[in-house]
Amino acid sequence: MGAGMRVTLLNLFARYGGAETCVRNLLRGLLDRGHTVRLLVGRRGTAPSLPEEHVALLPRFYPEVVLQLVLSRLGGLTETTLLLPLWLASRHPDFTEADVVHGHILNGSYWNLWALPLLARKTPIVLTLHDMWLMTGGCDHSEACQRWRDRCGACPMMQRPWRRRNSVGWRDLTRLNLAIKRRVFRCVPVDRLVVVSPSRWLASLAADSCLGRFRIEVIPNGVDLDAFAPGDQAEARRALGLPAAGKLFLAVAGNWGNPHKGGELLLPLAQALAADGVGRLVVAGRIEESLADRLRAAAALVIPEVHDPARLRRLFIAADNSLLLSRNENFPYVVSESLACGRPVIARAVGGVREMIADGVTGYCLPAAAGVAEFVAAARRWASLTPADVQAQRQAARRWAEDRFALRKMVESYEGVYAGLVAQRNDKVPTTLPRPRQAA
């Protein structure tokens, strides 16, 4: 379906977190199926392991980028002041000659939301939601706050230190920002944009937001099941220099400084696991050196800066179980990649995570407010399983990943969305499509 389409992917980075993994997987999958694909990024970041001809840094006019950064981080104003993206949306061939433009993370002071209505005049748009930012006044996860359903304002994020507000700036302009986003999306024709959510949870929130006037699809993030596959645990531990004996529980995050990732649990959890004797905590990902030193003193094993998929696969295989400590998540790759490697996951049942784990079969879902005691109890429960039960859980985890997170399924689903928009633009189907039934 839709063979030979020209697709432009748009994202803040080419490589860092879950959204970037989704973009890279999608790019490779579309290329393998014969499409012409370009990834445009706002910031290069760490050099991606992608063919250079398929990745380009968006042109930038640095004085206005600095102005946008000031207005966004200090003034609290959303992404609406950059002028160059307006010109690019109407003139840049990667936008105007594409069959579909597929946006992912649009905040980060590289894009202008008002470019979406301009772009939609010529080119259909797909937007994949990796968090709540497009439907709120500034936060990427609203947590218990429901103000985004009304007008925002009096944002509870303002009670936190500035560096822990994520995308909410120094001043509370959330009410203005939400009004701007609603106005932007009212200016986009309803048949020119499709919203995609990896989880049913986020799709249901989007339906109640300014995005609810558009067609909403649920397409789970896909995993390369060849790159993430079961392997020999002893060999993986030797390669990583990890202890050959004992239970290892892996907690991995791209950046433990992100307040959503539950990093405050790392030290007490490492201490509790060691005191209980159930096993040791392995912490992987970007982490402050002072915290890393305290974790080592608490018998934890620290492996910083893990980006290479082959190394990450070894980590999953070396561990007995993965732990997801996050307070807020959408559809994290840590869960699906761990399951693909045959490693069950113990996680807080937040956001879309509860859709990713079969409780008691491929891991354990803990209450959203679970703390150290609940994680240790779940680790002890897993450690008490018989070898046959352990093997059954590992096999069930792999089958679960194959059934639900195969990269091929994700690519084919996006192909169908693209082809529908292209056919609609060419008047091959009626201009008003019924809202599809969301995937189970």
Side-chain angles (χ1 to χ4, degrees):
M1 179 182 288
M5 289 182 287
R6 179 168 178 172
V7 180
T8 295
L9 304 173
L10 179 66
N11 196 49
L12 175 60
F13 290 113
R15 182 174 185 177
Y16 272 127
E20 289 69 37
T21 300
C22 175
V23 169
R24 294 196 308 272
N25 286 346
L26 184 56
L27 186 148
R28 293 191 183 98
L30 290 171
L31 288 174
D32 288 345
R33 293 176 68 85
H35 303 291
T36 301
V37 191
R38 286 272 282 177
L39 169 58
L40 303 182
V41 294
R43 302 182 199 173
R44 178 68 74 182
T46 307
S49 55
L50 294 169
E52 196 66 25
E53 66 269 21
H54 298 295
V55 184
L57 185 67
L58 277 173
R60 291 182 290 180
F61 181 54
Y62 283 96
E64 72 168 4
V65 171
V66 172
L67 176 62
Q68 171 64 57
L69 282 168
V70 170
L71 291 174
S72 175
R73 297 305 298 143
L74 296 181
L77 183 65
T78 195
E79 321 283 320
T80 56
T81 60
L82 295 178
L83 298 179
L84 187 55
L86 302 179
W87 184 88
L88 293 172
S90 58
R91 299 294 181 85
H92 195 290
D94 282 328
F95 291 124
T96 60
E97 297 177 13
D99 292 306
V100 175
V101 172
H102 186 170
H104 292 262
I105 300 295
L106 299 184
N107 57 313
S109 297
Y110 81 101
W111 189 246
N112 188 329
L113 291 174
W114 286 109
L116 294 176
L118 289 176
L119 182 59
R121 293 179 181 178
K122 295 182 178 180
T123 311
I125 301 171
V126 175
L127 292 179
T128 292
L129 305 178
H130 297 280
D131 53 40
M132 293 181 65
W133 184 81
L134 281 174
M135 63 183 83
T136 71
C139 64
D140 45 15
H141 289 283
S142 71
E143 300 182 6
C145 177
Q146 299 293 312
R147 288 179 172 86
W148 60 272
R149 296 180 184 273
D150 183 20
R151 296 187 298 168
C152 275
C155 180
M157 292 288 178
M158 302 304 295
Q159 301 171 14
R160 299 180 179 180
W162 179 46
R163 293 185 180 277
R164 296 184 65 83
R165 297 176 193 169
N166 283 355
S167 51
V168 177
W170 186 267
R171 296 187 60 198
D172 187 357
L173 294 185
T174 54
R175 179 166 295 177
L176 172 62
N177 291 340
L178 183 56
I180 291 171
K181 291 176 182 179
R182 287 174 171 172
R183 181 61 180 168
V184 164
F185 286 113
R186 279 200 298 269
C187 292
V188 177
V190 71
D191 60 347
R192 302 289 285 179
L193 188 149
V194 172
V195 175
V196 173
S197 169
S199 67
R200 297 192 301 273
W201 164 77
L202 191 56
S204 68
L205 298 184
D208 291 336
S209 76
C210 56
L211 302 175
R213 63 190 295 265
F214 301 104
R215 175 182 168 194
I216 300 175
E217 291 270 15
V218 175
I219 301 177
N221 291 335
V223 175
D224 186 336
L225 295 173
D226 294 323
F228 290 91
D232 184 86
Q233 187 176 55
E235 180 184 349
R237 290 192 178 189
R238 282 195 302 270
L240 295 168
L242 295 175
K247 304 293 184 188
L248 298 181
F249 297 91
L250 173 66
V252 57
N255 177 15
W256 283 109
N258 184 330
H260 297 304
K261 299 302 179 181
E264 71 279 358
L265 291 183
L266 289 174
L267 184 57
L269 182 57
Q271 295 168 336
L273 286 172
D276 189 274
V278 68
R280 298 177 69 179
L281 181 66
V282 180
V283 180
R286 194 188 318 166
I287 190 169
E288 292 183 1
E289 191 57 38
S290 60
L291 177 56
D293 290 339
R294 283 178 286 159
L295 285 166
R296 294 185 184 102
L301 302 160
V302 180
I303 303 177
E305 299 292 342
V306 179
H307 290 299
D308 178 51
R311 185 172 173 82
L312 185 56
R313 172 181 177 252
R314 282 199 187 98
L315 272 170
F316 287 126
I317 294 171
D320 293 282
N321 215 307
S322 294
L323 307 179
L324 186 77
L325 310 182
S326 299
R327 300 167 57 229
N328 301 288
E329 284 287 2
N330 176 18
F331 206 84
Y333 267 99
V334 169
V335 173
S336 51
E337 289 171 349
S338 179
L339 295 175
C341 291
R343 291 302 180 265
V345 180
I346 301 172
R348 285 169 163 170
V350 296
V353 174
R354 70 197 71 189
E355 304 167 28
M356 304 181 73
I357 300 171
D359 190 32
V361 179
T362 64
Y364 303 120
C365 284
L366 306 182
V372 170
E374 288 84 359
F375 275 100
V376 172
R380 192 185 308 116
R381 177 184 172 190
W382 187 89
S384 68
L385 295 176
T386 66
D389 287 339
V390 168
Q391 186 63 20
Q393 272 208 8
R394 290 178 174 176
Q395 292 173 349
R398 175 64 183 185
R399 289 194 301 269
W400 184 270
E402 291 172 342
D403 290 342
R404 288 161 176 81
F405 310 132
L407 178 58
R408 172 187 53 80
K409 291 184 178 181
M410 181 185 80
V411 174
E412 290 176 353
S413 295
Y414 274 114
E415 273 185 322
V417 172
Y418 299 160
L421 281 169
V422 171
Q424 188 169 303
R425 182 187 61 181
N426 295 336
D427 292 327
K428 293 180 180 178
V429 297
T431 58
T432 301
L433 292 179
R435 184 184 297 274
R437 182 177 62 85
Q438 294 180 358

Coordinates of all heavy atoms in Angstrom, one line a residue, residues 271-351:
Q271 N 19.8 0.5 48.0 CA 20.1 0.1 49.4 C 19.2 -1.0 49.9 O 19.6 -1.9 50.6 CB 20.0 1.4 50.3 CG 21.0 2.4 50.0 CD 20.7 3.8 50.7 OE1 19.5 4.0 50.9 NE2 21.7 4.6 50.9
A272 N 17.9 -0.9 49.5 CA 16.9 -1.9 50.0 C 17.1 -3.2 49.4 O 17.0 -4.3 50.0 CB 15.5 -1.4 49.7
L273 N 17.5 -3.3 48.1 CA 17.7 -4.6 47.4 C 18.9 -5.3 48.1 O 18.9 -6.5 48.3 CB 18.0 -4.4 45.9 CG 16.7 -4.0 45.1 CD1 17.1 -3.7 43.7 CD2 15.8 -5.2 45.0
A274 N 20.0 -4.5 48.3 CA 21.2 -5.0 49.0 C 20.9 -5.5 50.4 O 21.3 -6.6 50.8 CB 22.3 -4.0 49.0
A275 N 20.1 -4.7 51.1 CA 19.8 -5.1 52.5 C 18.9 -6.3 52.6 O 19.1 -7.2 53.4 CB 19.1 -3.9 53.2
D276 N 18.0 -6.5 51.6 CA 17.1 -7.6 51.5 C 17.8 -8.9 51.1 O 17.4 -10.0 51.4 CB 15.9 -7.3 50.6 CG 14.8 -8.3 50.7 OD1 14.9 -9.3 49.9 OD2 13.9 -8.2 51.4
G277 N 18.9 -8.7 50.3 CA 19.7 -9.8 49.8 C 19.1 -10.4 48.6 O 19.5 -11.5 48.1
V278 N 18.1 -9.8 48.0 CA 17.4 -10.3 46.8 C 18.2 -10.2 45.5 O 18.0 -11.0 44.6 CB 16.0 -9.7 46.6 CG1 16.1 -8.2 46.2 CG2 15.1 -10.5 45.6
G279 N 19.1 -9.2 45.5 CA 19.9 -9.0 44.3 C 20.5 -7.6 44.3 O 20.4 -6.9 45.3
R280 N 21.1 -7.2 43.2 CA 21.7 -5.9 43.0 C 21.1 -5.1 41.9 O 20.6 -5.6 41.0 CB 23.2 -6.1 42.8 CG 24.0 -6.8 43.9 CD 25.4 -7.0 43.5 NE 26.2 -5.7 43.5 CZ 27.5 -5.6 43.2 NH1 28.2 -6.7 42.9 NH2 28.1 -4.5 43.2
L281 N 21.1 -3.8 42.1 CA 20.5 -2.9 41.1 C 21.6 -2.5 40.1 O 22.7 -2.1 40.5 CB 20.0 -1.6 41.8 CG 19.3 -0.6 40.9 CD1 18.1 -1.1 40.3 CD2 19.0 0.7 41.7
V282 N 21.3 -2.5 38.8 CA 22.1 -2.1 37.8 C 21.5 -0.8 37.2 O 20.3 -0.9 36.7 CB 22.3 -3.1 36.7 CG1 23.2 -2.6 35.6 CG2 22.9 -4.4 37.2
V283 N 22.2 0.3 37.2 CA 21.6 1.6 36.7 C 22.4 2.0 35.5 O 23.6 2.1 35.5 CB 21.8 2.7 37.8 CG1 21.2 4.0 37.3 CG2 21.1 2.3 39.1
A284 N 21.6 2.1 34.4 CA 22.2 2.5 33.1 C 21.6 3.8 32.6 O 20.4 4.0 32.8 CB 22.0 1.4 32.1
G285 N 22.4 4.6 31.9 CA 21.9 5.9 31.4 C 22.7 7.1 31.9 O 23.5 7.0 32.8
R286 N 22.3 8.2 31.4 CA 23.0 9.5 31.8 C 22.6 9.8 33.3 O 21.4 9.8 33.6 CB 22.6 10.6 30.9 CG 23.5 11.9 31.0 CD 22.9 13.0 30.3 NE 22.4 12.6 28.9 CZ 21.6 13.4 28.2 NH1 21.2 14.6 28.6 NH2 21.2 12.9 27.0
I287 N 23.6 10.0 34.1 CA 23.4 10.2 35.5 C 24.5 11.1 36.1 O 25.6 11.1 35.6 CB 23.4 8.8 36.2 CG1 22.9 8.9 37.7 CG2 24.8 8.1 36.2 CD1 22.7 7.6 38.3
E288 N 24.1 11.9 37.1 CA 25.1 12.8 37.7 C 26.1 12.0 38.4 O 25.8 11.0 39.1 CB 24.4 13.7 38.7 CG 23.5 14.8 38.0 CD 22.9 15.7 39.1 OE1 23.2 15.6 40.3 OE2 22.1 16.6 38.6
E289 N 27.4 12.4 38.3 CA 28.5 11.6 38.9 C 28.3 11.5 40.4 O 28.7 10.5 41.0 CB 29.8 12.3 38.6 CG 31.0 11.4 38.9 CD 30.9 10.0 38.2 OE1 30.5 9.9 37.1 OE2 31.3 9.0 38.9
S290 N 27.8 12.5 41.1 CA 27.7 12.5 42.6 C 26.7 11.4 42.9 O 26.9 10.6 43.9 CB 27.2 13.8 43.1 OG 25.9 14.2 42.6
L291 N 25.6 11.2 42.2 CA 24.6 10.2 42.4 C 25.2 8.8 42.1 O 25.0 7.8 42.8 CB 23.3 10.4 41.7 CG 22.2 9.3 41.8 CD1 21.8 9.1 43.2 CD2 21.0 9.7 40.9
A292 N 26.0 8.8 41.0 CA 26.6 7.5 40.6 C 27.5 7.0 41.7 O 27.6 5.8 42.0 CB 27.4 7.7 39.3
D293 N 28.3 7.9 42.3 CA 29.2 7.5 43.4 C 28.4 7.0 44.6 O 28.8 6.0 45.2 CB 30.0 8.7 43.9 CG 31.1 9.1 42.8 OD1 31.4 8.3 41.9 OD2 31.5 10.3 42.8
R294 N 27.3 7.6 44.9 CA 26.5 7.1 46.1 C 25.9 5.8 45.8 O 25.7 4.9 46.6 CB 25.4 8.2 46.4 CG 26.0 9.4 47.2 CD 24.9 10.4 47.5 NE 24.5 11.1 46.3 CZ 23.4 11.8 46.1 NH1 22.4 11.7 47.0 NH2 23.2 12.4 45.0
L295 N 25.5 5.6 44.5 CA 24.9 4.3 44.1 C 25.9 3.2 44.2 O 25.6 2.1 44.7 CB 24.4 4.4 42.7 CG 23.0 5.1 42.5 CD1 22.8 5.4 41.0 CD2 21.9 4.3 43.1
R296 N 27.2 3.5 43.8 CA 28.2 2.4 43.9 C 28.5 2.1 45.4 O 28.7 0.9 45.7 CB 29.5 2.9 43.2 CG 29.4 3.1 41.7 CD 30.7 3.5 41.1 NE 30.5 3.8 39.6 CZ 30.5 5.0 39.1 NH1 30.5 6.1 39.9 NH2 30.3 5.1 37.8
A297 N 28.4 3.1 46.2 CA 28.6 2.9 47.6 C 27.5 2.0 48.2 O 27.7 1.3 49.3 CB 28.7 4.2 48.4
A298 N 26.4 2.0 47.6 CA 25.2 1.2 48.0 C 25.1 -0.1 47.3 O 24.1 -0.8 47.3 CB 23.9 2.0 47.8
A299 N 26.2 -0.5 46.7 CA 26.4 -1.9 46.1 C 25.7 -1.9 44.7 O 25.6 -3.0 44.1 CB 25.9 -3.0 46.9
A300 N 25.3 -0.8 44.2 CA 24.7 -0.8 42.8 C 25.8 -0.8 41.8 O 26.9 -0.4 42.0 CB 23.8 0.4 42.6
L301 N 25.5 -1.2 40.6 CA 26.4 -1.2 39.4 C 25.9 -0.1 38.5 O 24.8 -0.1 38.1 CB 26.4 -2.6 38.8 CG 26.8 -3.7 39.7 CD1 26.3 -5.1 39.1 CD2 28.3 -3.8 39.9
V302 N 26.8 0.8 38.1 CA 26.4 1.9 37.3 C 27.1 1.9 35.9 O 28.3 1.7 35.8 CB 26.8 3.3 38.0 CG1 26.4 4.5 37.1 CG2 26.2 3.3 39.4
I303 N 26.3 2.0 34.9 CA 26.8 2.0 33.5 C 26.3 3.2 32.8 O 25.1 3.2 32.3 CB 26.4 0.7 32.8 CG1 26.9 -0.5 33.5 CG2 26.9 0.7 31.3 CD1 26.5 -1.9 32.9
P304 N 27.0 4.3 32.8 CA 26.5 5.6 32.2 C 26.5 5.6 30.7 O 27.2 4.8 30.0 CB 27.5 6.6 32.7 CG 28.8 5.9 32.9 CD 28.4 4.4 33.3
E305 N 25.6 6.5 30.1 CA 25.6 6.8 28.7 C 25.5 5.5 27.8 O 26.4 5.1 27.1 CB 26.9 7.6 28.3 CG 27.0 8.9 29.0 CD 25.9 9.9 28.6 OE1 25.3 9.7 27.5 OE2 25.7 10.9 29.3
V306 N 24.3 4.9 27.8 CA 24.1 3.7 27.0 C 23.2 4.2 25.8 O 22.0 4.5 26.0 CB 23.4 2.6 27.8 CG1 23.1 1.4 26.9 CG2 24.3 2.2 29.0
H307 N 23.8 4.2 24.6 CA 23.0 4.6 23.4 C 23.1 3.5 22.4 O 22.1 3.3 21.6 CB 23.6 5.9 22.8 CG 23.3 7.1 23.6 ND1 22.0 7.5 23.9 CD2 24.1 8.0 24.2 CE1 22.1 8.6 24.7 NE2 23.3 8.9 24.9
D308 N 24.2 2.7 22.3 CA 24.3 1.7 21.3 C 23.3 0.6 21.5 O 23.3 0.0 22.6 CB 25.7 1.2 21.3 CG 26.0 0.1 20.3 OD1 25.6 0.3 19.1 OD2 26.4 -1.0 20.7
P309 N 22.5 0.3 20.5 CA 21.5 -0.8 20.7 C 22.1 -2.2 21.0 O 21.5 -2.9 21.8 CB 20.8 -0.9 19.3 CG 21.0 0.5 18.7 CD 22.3 1.0 19.2
A310 N 23.2 -2.5 20.5 CA 23.9 -3.8 20.8 C 24.3 -3.8 22.3 O 24.1 -4.9 22.9 CB 25.1 -4.0 19.9
R311 N 24.8 -2.7 22.8 CA 25.2 -2.7 24.2 C 23.9 -2.7 25.1 O 23.9 -3.4 26.1 CB 26.0 -1.4 24.5 CG 26.5 -1.3 25.9 CD 27.5 -0.2 26.0 NE 27.9 0.1 27.3 CZ 28.9 -0.5 27.9 NH1 29.6 -1.5 27.3 NH2 29.3 -0.2 29.2
L312 N 22.9 -2.0 24.7 CA 21.6 -2.0 25.4 C 21.0 -3.4 25.5 O 20.5 -3.9 26.5 CB 20.6 -1.0 24.8 CG 19.3 -0.8 25.6 CD1 19.6 -0.4 27.0 CD2 18.5 0.2 24.9
R313 N 21.1 -4.1 24.3 CA 20.6 -5.5 24.3 C 21.3 -6.4 25.3 O 20.7 -7.2 26.0 CB 20.7 -6.1 22.9 CG 20.4 -7.6 22.8 CD 20.5 -8.1 21.4 NE 20.3 -9.5 21.4 CZ 21.2 -10.5 21.2 NH1 22.5 -10.1 21.1 NH2 20.9 -11.8 21.2
R314 N 22.7 -6.2 25.3 CA 23.4 -7.0 26.3 C 23.0 -6.7 27.7 O 23.0 -7.6 28.6 CB 24.9 -6.7 26.1 CG 25.6 -7.4 25.0 CD 27.1 -7.4 25.1 NE 27.8 -7.9 23.9 CZ 28.3 -7.2 23.0 NH1 28.2 -5.8 23.1 NH2 28.9 -7.7 22.0
L315 N 22.7 -5.5 28.0 CA 22.3 -5.1 29.4 C 21.0 -5.8 29.7 O 20.9 -6.4 30.8 CB 22.1 -3.6 29.5 CG 23.3 -2.8 29.8 CD1 23.0 -1.3 29.7 CD2 23.7 -3.1 31.3
F316 N 20.0 -5.8 28.8 CA 18.8 -6.5 29.1 C 19.0 -8.0 29.3 O 18.4 -8.6 30.2 CB 17.8 -6.3 28.0 CG 17.2 -4.9 27.9 CD1 17.2 -4.2 26.7 CD2 16.5 -4.4 29.0 CE1 16.7 -2.9 26.6 CE2 16.0 -3.1 28.9 CZ 16.1 -2.4 27.7
I317 N 19.8 -8.6 28.5 CA 20.1 -10.0 28.6 C 20.8 -10.4 29.9 O 20.6 -11.4 30.5 CB 20.8 -10.5 27.3 CG1 20.0 -10.4 26.1 CG2 21.3 -12.0 27.5 CD1 20.7 -10.6 24.8
A318 N 21.8 -9.5 30.2 CA 22.6 -9.7 31.4 C 21.7 -9.7 32.7 O 22.0 -10.4 33.7 CB 23.7 -8.7 31.5
A319 N 20.7 -8.8 32.7 CA 19.8 -8.7 33.9 C 18.8 -9.8 34.0 O 18.6 -10.6 33.0 CB 19.1 -7.4 33.8
D320 N 18.3 -10.0 35.2 CA 17.2 -11.0 35.3 C 15.9 -10.4 35.1 O 14.9 -11.1 34.8 CB 17.3 -11.6 36.8 CG 18.6 -12.4 37.0 OD1 18.6 -13.6 36.5 OD2 19.5 -11.9 37.5
N321 N 15.8 -9.1 35.3 CA 14.5 -8.4 35.3 C 14.8 -6.9 35.0 O 15.9 -6.4 35.4 CB 13.8 -8.5 36.6 CG 12.3 -8.6 36.4 OD1 11.7 -7.8 35.8 ND2 11.7 -9.7 37.0
S322 N 13.9 -6.2 34.4 CA 14.0 -4.8 34.2 C 13.0 -4.1 35.1 O 11.9 -4.5 35.4 CB 13.7 -4.4 32.8 OG 14.7 -4.9 31.9
L323 N 13.4 -2.9 35.6 CA 12.6 -2.1 36.5 C 12.3 -0.8 35.8 O 13.2 -0.1 35.3 CB 13.2 -1.8 37.8 CG 13.8 -3.0 38.6 CD1 14.5 -2.5 39.9 CD2 12.7 -4.0 38.9
L324 N 11.0 -0.4 35.7 CA 10.6 0.9 35.2 C 10.1 1.7 36.4 O 9.0 1.5 36.9 CB 9.5 0.8 34.1 CG 9.2 2.1 33.4 CD1 10.2 2.5 32.4 CD2 7.8 2.1 32.8
L325 N 10.9 2.7 36.8 CA 10.6 3.5 38.0 C 9.8 4.8 37.6 O 9.4 5.5 38.6 CB 11.9 4.0 38.7 CG 12.9 2.9 38.9 CD1 14.1 3.4 39.7 CD2 12.3 1.7 39.7
S326 N 9.5 5.0 36.4 CA 8.9 6.3 35.9 C 7.6 6.7 36.6 O 6.7 5.8 36.9 CB 8.6 6.2 34.4 OG 9.8 6.0 33.7
R327 N 7.5 8.0 36.9 CA 6.2 8.5 37.5 C 5.3 8.8 36.4 O 4.0 8.9 36.6 CB 6.6 9.8 38.3 CG 7.5 9.5 39.4 CD 8.1 10.8 40.0 NE 7.0 11.7 40.4 CZ 6.9 13.0 40.1 NH1 7.7 13.5 39.3 NH2 5.9 13.7 40.6
N328 N 5.8 9.2 35.2 CA 4.9 9.5 34.0 C 5.6 8.9 32.8 O 6.8 9.0 32.6 CB 4.8 11.0 33.9 CG 4.2 11.7 35.1 OD1 3.1 11.6 35.4 ND2 5.1 12.4 35.8
E329 N 4.8 8.3 32.0 CA 5.2 7.7 30.7 C 4.1 7.6 29.7 O 2.9 7.6 30.1 CB 5.8 6.3 30.9 CG 7.2 6.2 31.6 CD 8.3 6.6 30.6 OE1 8.0 7.0 29.5 OE2 9.5 6.6 31.1
N330 N 4.5 7.5 28.4 CA 3.5 7.2 27.4 C 3.6 5.8 27.0 O 2.7 4.9 27.4 CB 3.7 8.2 26.2 CG 2.7 7.9 25.1 OD1 1.7 7.2 25.2 ND2 3.1 8.4 23.9
F331 N 4.6 5.4 26.2 CA 4.8 4.1 25.7 C 6.3 3.8 25.6 O 6.8 3.7 24.5 CB 4.1 3.9 24.3 CG 3.6 2.6 24.0 CD1 2.4 2.1 24.4 CD2 4.4 1.7 23.2 CE1 1.9 0.8 24.1 CE2 3.9 0.5 22.8 CZ 2.7 0.0 23.3
P332 N 6.9 3.6 26.7 CA 8.4 3.6 26.7 C 9.0 2.4 26.1 O 8.6 1.3 26.3 CB 8.7 3.6 28.2 CG 7.5 3.0 28.9 CD 6.4 3.5 28.1
Y333 N 10.1 2.7 25.3 CA 10.8 1.6 24.6 C 11.5 0.7 25.6 O 11.8 -0.4 25.3 CB 11.8 2.3 23.6 CG 11.3 2.4 22.2 CD1 10.8 3.6 21.8 CD2 11.3 1.3 21.4 CE1 10.3 3.7 20.5 CE2 10.8 1.4 20.1 CZ 10.3 2.7 19.7 OH 9.8 2.8 18.4
V334 N 11.9 1.2 26.8 CA 12.6 0.4 27.8 C 11.7 -0.9 28.0 O 12.3 -2.0 28.2 CB 12.8 1.2 29.1 CG1 13.2 0.2 30.2 CG2 13.8 2.2 28.9
V335 N 10.4 -0.8 28.1 CA 9.6 -1.9 28.4 C 9.6 -2.9 27.2 O 9.8 -4.1 27.3 CB 8.1 -1.4 28.7 CG1 7.2 -2.7 28.8 CG2 8.1 -0.6 30.0
S336 N 9.3 -2.3 26.0 CA 9.1 -3.2 24.8 C 10.5 -3.9 24.4 O 10.5 -5.0 24.0 CB 8.5 -2.4 23.6 OG 9.2 -1.3 23.4
E337 N 11.6 -3.1 24.6 CA 12.9 -3.7 24.2 C 13.3 -4.8 25.2 O 13.9 -5.8 24.9 CB 13.9 -2.6 24.2 CG 13.8 -1.7 23.0 CD 14.6 -0.5 23.0 OE1 15.2 -0.2 24.0 OE2 14.7 0.2 22.0
S338 N 13.0 -4.6 26.5 CA 13.3 -5.6 27.5 C 12.5 -6.8 27.3 O 13.0 -8.0 27.3 CB 13.0 -5.0 28.9 OG 13.2 -6.0 29.9
L339 N 11.2 -6.7 27.0 CA 10.3 -7.8 26.7 C 10.8 -8.6 25.4 O 10.8 -9.8 25.4 CB 8.9 -7.4 26.5 CG 8.2 -6.8 27.7 CD1 6.8 -6.3 27.4 CD2 8.1 -7.9 28.9
A340 N 11.3 -7.8 24.4 CA 11.8 -8.4 23.2 C 13.0 -9.3 23.5 O 13.3 -10.3 22.8 CB 12.1 -7.4 22.2
C341 N 13.8 -8.9 24.5 CA 15.0 -9.7 24.9 C 14.6 -10.8 25.8 O 15.5 -11.5 26.4 CB 16.0 -8.7 25.5 SG 16.8 -7.6 24.4
G342 N 13.3 -11.0 26.1 CA 12.9 -12.0 27.0 C 13.1 -11.7 28.4 O 13.2 -12.7 29.3
R343 N 13.1 -10.4 28.8 CA 13.2 -10.1 30.2 C 12.0 -9.4 30.7 O 11.6 -8.3 30.2 CB 14.4 -9.1 30.4 CG 15.8 -9.8 30.1 CD 16.0 -11.0 31.1 NE 17.3 -11.7 30.9 CZ 17.4 -12.7 30.2 NH1 16.4 -13.2 29.5 NH2 18.6 -13.3 30.1
P344 N 11.3 -10.0 31.7 CA 10.1 -9.4 32.2 C 10.4 -8.1 32.9 O 11.5 -7.8 33.2 CB 9.6 -10.5 33.3 CG 10.3 -11.7 32.9 CD 11.6 -11.3 32.3
V345 N 9.3 -7.3 33.0 CA 9.5 -5.9 33.5 C 8.6 -5.7 34.8 O 7.4 -6.1 34.8 CB 9.1 -4.9 32.5 CG1 9.2 -3.5 33.0 CG2 9.9 -5.1 31.2
I346 N 9.2 -5.1 35.8 CA 8.4 -4.6 36.9 C 8.3 -3.1 36.8 O 9.3 -2.4 36.7 CB 9.1 -5.0 38.3 CG1 9.3 -6.5 38.4 CG2 8.3 -4.4 39.5 CD1 10.2 -6.9 39.6
A347 N 7.0 -2.6 36.8 CA 6.8 -1.2 36.5 C 5.7 -0.6 37.2 O 4.7 -1.3 37.6 CB 6.6 -1.0 34.9
R348 N 5.7 0.7 37.4 CA 4.6 1.4 37.9 C 3.6 1.5 36.7 O 4.0 1.8 35.6 CB 5.0 2.9 38.3 CG 5.7 3.0 39.6 CD 6.3 4.4 39.8 NE 6.6 4.7 41.2 CZ 7.3 5.7 41.5 NH1 7.7 6.6 40.6 NH2 7.5 6.0 42.8
A349 N 2.3 1.2 37.0 CA 1.3 1.2 35.9 C 0.8 2.6 35.6 O -0.3 3.0 36.0 CB 0.2 0.3 36.3
V350 N 1.7 3.4 35.0 CA 1.4 4.8 34.6 C 1.2 4.9 33.1 O 1.8 4.2 32.3 CB 2.5 5.7 35.1 CG1 2.5 5.7 36.6 CG2 3.8 5.4 34.5
G351 N 0.3 5.9 32.7 CA 0.2 6.1 31.3 C -0.2 4.9 30.5 O -1.0 4.1 30.8

